[in-house]
Amino acid sequence: MDLQDQLKHLFPDYQPLPDEPFEEVAHELYVQKEPMICKYEKRKGKATTIIEGYEGTDEDFKILAKEIKTKLSVGGTFKEGAIIIQGDYRDKIMTLLKEKGFKTKRVGG
């Protein structure tokens, strides 16, 4: 006996409503006017790329971080208002951000 049969047994007068199609709306990121800073640092002897200066919500910045990490197939994290990517990927990250409509500024070399 599945769940529908159990519900019919418990509530014989209940008529389920027809399912309405649900349209999923794509989430749009807030595109700011000020440039985001894309800089290069060495942490514990390893190269890292740091992106900071996003003015939108942290959730949007986390979505952007995940998108960058999946497109470049690299590891990274979101900490304290900055995206930290393992390796020197400044050029690739800057082109990805420019394609999305963000302004970027290269810092550090």
Side-chain angles (χ1 to χ4, degrees), residues 24 27 29 32 42 51-52 71-73 77 86:
E24 188 173 315
H27 183 75
L29 295 173
Q32 62 194 28
K42 279 202 167 193
I51 305 157
E52 36 188 42
K71 286 201 177 185
L72 296 177
S73 300
T77 186
Q86 298 173 353

Side-chain angles (χ1 to χ4, degrees), residues 65-74 96 99-100:
K66 183 171 181 147
E67 195 170 312
I68 289 171
K69 291 189 300 183
T70 55
K71 286 201 177 185
L72 296 177
S73 300
V74 296
L96 282 173
E99 288 172 2
K100 292 195 154 291

Side-chain angles (χ1 to χ4, degrees), residues 3-14 16:
L3 183 62
Q4 291 292 334
D5 293 335
Q6 291 175 1
L7 288 173
K8 286 179 187 176
H9 181 66
L10 291 172
F11 305 102
D13 296 335
Y14 177 73

Side-chain angles (χ1 to χ4, degrees), residues 72-85:
L72 296 177
S73 300
V74 296
T77 186
F78 174 80
K79 283 187 182 176
E80 301 168 3
I83 301 172
I84 302 168
I85 303 291

Side-chain angles (χ1 to χ4, degrees), residues 23-63:
E23 294 182 23
E24 188 173 315
V25 178
H27 183 75
E28 291 189 25
L29 295 173
Y30 169 73
V31 179
Q32 62 194 28
K33 294 182 181 181
E34 294 296 316
M36 291 178 22
I37 296 172
C38 187
K39 63 182 177 179
Y40 170 79
E41 278 186 11
K42 279 202 167 193
R43 293 190 174 184
K44 297 182 183 178
K46 299 187 179 185
T48 57
T49 303
I50 301 171
I51 305 157
E52 36 188 42
Y54 186 67
E55 297 172 354
T57 63
D58 281 348
E59 285 300 315
D60 287 349
F61 208 34
K62 287 179 185 178
I63 291 170

Side-chain angles (χ1 to χ4, degrees), residues 4 16-22:
Q4 291 292 334
L17 298 174
D19 291 335
E20 294 182 13
F22 178 73

